[in-house]
């Protein structure tokens, strides 16, 4: 009898499914995470279990969140003998991470993120950061370049300053399209984000609003962008000793914080 070629469903573009197939990169990601047997580690989008398999072998408790209903039975079958495996069938954007029981106060999270929602997931993780010690994330290379852009770099934007405020970001390595199946069109990069335990942001909502408005039109001056938020923007910038004709991308995190403390 002819053997069936594969029981696995086709990769779904709509769910950002580019599965890692290169064992070297799979091992490299896991070795950056250093999973310990007593830890709880969350994985977003286990897919066909490429990272999950190695994570489970470490003995850590793995809580995997997968949205694709077709992958659920495959993952359940693959890891049915693993007592340290828990699968949550949900949209990671809707998961309340505070509800996931854990063995330590702050959990680690790893994900080869579906690109179509990677920024939204990152923002959600930052909102719920008190649950986590660190995130090891595979993202599009250009997103990682944006996150790690220093003041003065044109790539610097809302996401850069948001991440910088709450995490220490370290780009780890690049990953070529050939490491995945199907191969994406662009390169990826893996980044470590260590959650700062004591971020010095005074008023988080105002801070987010400030950087959002500040970067609203990147080609405009900081003064023109900030007028959207503060009628007395010129005076605030003067008090902070920030030249009003600078662009948002040139400001450091400390300068954004200064604006917050001088805004009244
Ligand atoms: N971790 C696997 C790997 O490295 O081979 C799969 C990575 S693939 C880029 C992204 C995975 O995230 C897919 O399994 C996809 O079904 C899943 N996914 C997509 N959107 C999701 C969402 N909103 N919540 C949870 N998982 C999602």
């Amino acid at each position: 009898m002819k053997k069936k070629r594969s029981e696995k469903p086709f990769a779904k573009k709509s769910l950002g499914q580019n599965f890692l197939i290169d064992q070297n990169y799979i091992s490299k990601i896991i070795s950056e995470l250093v999973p310990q047997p007593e830890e709880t580690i969350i994985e977003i989008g286990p897919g066909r279990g490429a990272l999950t398999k190695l994570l489970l072998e470490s003995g850590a408790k793995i809580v995997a969140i997968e949205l694709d209903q077709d992958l659920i039975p495959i993952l359940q079958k693959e890891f049915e003998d693993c007592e340290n495996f828990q699968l949550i069938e949900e949209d990671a954007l809707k998961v309340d991470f505070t509800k996931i029981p854990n063995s330590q106060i702050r959990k680690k999270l790893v994900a080869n993120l579906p690109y179509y929602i990677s920024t939204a997931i990152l923002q959600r993780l930052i909102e719920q950061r008190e649950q986590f010690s660190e995130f090891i994330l595979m993202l599009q290379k250009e997103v990682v370049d944006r996150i790690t852009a220093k003041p003065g770099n044109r790539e610097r934007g809302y996401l850069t300053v948001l991440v910088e405020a709450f995490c220490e970001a370290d780009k780890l390595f690049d990953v070529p399209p050939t490491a995945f199946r199907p191969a994406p069109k662009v390169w990826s990069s893996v980044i470590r984000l260590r959650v700062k335990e004591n971020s010095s942001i005074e008023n988080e909502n105002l801070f987010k609003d400030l950087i959002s408005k500040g970067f609203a039109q990147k080609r405009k001056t900081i003064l023109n962008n900030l007028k959207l938020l503060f009628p007395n923007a010129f005076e605030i910038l003067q008090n902070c000793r920030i030249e009003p004709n600078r662009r948002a991308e040139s400001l450091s995190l400390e300068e954004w914080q200064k604006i917050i403390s001088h805004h009244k």
Side-chain angles (χ1 to χ4, degrees):
M1 202 172 88
K2 227 178 169 185
K3 216 176 154 197
K4 274 191 195 165
R5 268 184 62 217
S6 170
E7 298 288 336
K8 290 175 180 165
F10 288 114
K12 295 181 182 127
K13 227 177 164 177
S14 62
L15 288 177
Q17 293 180 348
N18 298 100
F19 299 109
L20 260 175
I21 53 159
D22 187 319
Q23 281 304 323
N24 288 329
Y25 287 106
I26 294 170
S27 304
K28 264 180 102 167
I29 293 171
I30 303 301
S31 61
E32 290 291 348
L33 194 71
V34 203
Q36 303 293 323
E38 66 279 7
E39 287 181 328
T40 299
I41 295 175
I42 296 179
E43 185 189 7
I44 295 180
R48 292 175 182 164
L51 295 167
T52 327
K53 188 167 184 288
L54 267 195
L55 286 169
L56 287 165
E57 283 171 12
S58 73
K61 176 162 193 246
I62 308 304
V63 181
I65 303 163
E66 178 55 64
L67 179 63
D68 185 354
Q69 290 301 310
D70 292 335
L71 290 172
I72 300 295
I74 294 173
L75 288 160
Q76 276 165 341
K77 185 153 189 292
E78 177 85 19
F79 301 123
E80 63 188 348
D81 297 330
C82 300
E83 282 178 6
N84 52 339
F85 180 60
Q86 184 190 339
L87 188 57
I88 299 181
E89 308 171 30
E90 210 180 327
D91 181 344
L93 281 171
K94 297 191 180 141
V95 170
D96 180 352
F97 293 99
T98 60
K99 299 271 159 59
I100 297 179
N102 57 309
S103 46
Q104 74 276 41
I105 297 169
R106 286 171 180 259
K107 308 175 263 271
K108 290 178 185 167
L109 180 142
V110 62
N112 168 11
L113 281 180
Y115 295 151
Y116 77 111
I117 43 162
S118 58
T119 317
I121 288 195
L122 188 49
Q123 292 188 40
R124 181 152 178 88
L125 293 178
I126 287 180
E127 268 168 28
Q128 300 209 355
R129 64 189 176 277
E130 284 179 5
Q131 298 301 309
F132 300 101
S133 57
E134 67 175 72
F135 311 114
I136 301 272
L137 304 175
M138 169 110 72
L139 298 162
Q140 270 177 288
K141 182 177 177 301
E142 59 158 275
V143 177
V144 169
D145 290 343
R146 232 190 300 146
I147 291 174
T148 52
K150 301 279 177 249
N153 184 324
R154 274 217 217 135
E155 298 299 315
R156 196 168 167 85
Y158 173 83
L159 197 60
T160 323
V161 183
L162 181 73
V163 170
E164 211 174 73
F166 301 111
C167 303
E168 306 279 353
D170 275 313
K171 177 175 167 172
L172 299 174
F173 49 88
D174 294 327
V175 185
T178 50
F180 305 86
R181 190 165 296 148
K185 289 200 175 73
V186 294
W187 277 64
S188 306
S189 299
V190 176
I191 189 169
R192 181 200 310 280
L193 302 179
R194 269 206 189 93
V195 178
K196 292 182 184 172
E197 287 201 16
N198 299 308
S199 141
S200 51
I201 303 301
E202 282 170 28
N203 179 339
E204 197 171 322
N205 287 337
L206 180 63
F207 173 74
K208 286 182 181 164
D209 208 15
L210 169 67
I211 53 175
S212 161
K213 299 276 186 343
F215 283 103
Q217 297 207 44
K218 286 187 81 176
R219 288 163 64 183
K220 280 193 174 178
T221 62
I222 185 69
L223 174 63
N224 279 335
N225 278 329
L226 286 197
K227 276 185 191 161
L228 299 172
L229 192 60
F230 306 123
N232 58 340
F234 184 79
E235 196 190 317
I236 296 173
L237 290 170
Q238 266 198 329
N239 291 341
C240 299
R241 297 183 192 283
I242 297 172
E243 281 288 324
N245 62 356
R246 283 171 62 185
R247 300 268 152 86
E249 70 208 29
S250 75
L251 267 67
S252 66
L253 175 63
E254 291 68 31
E255 288 177 311
W256 288 110
Q257 283 178 284
K258 239 189 207 177
I259 296 175
I260 294 277
S261 38
H262 284 78
H263 83 278
K264 278 178 216 140

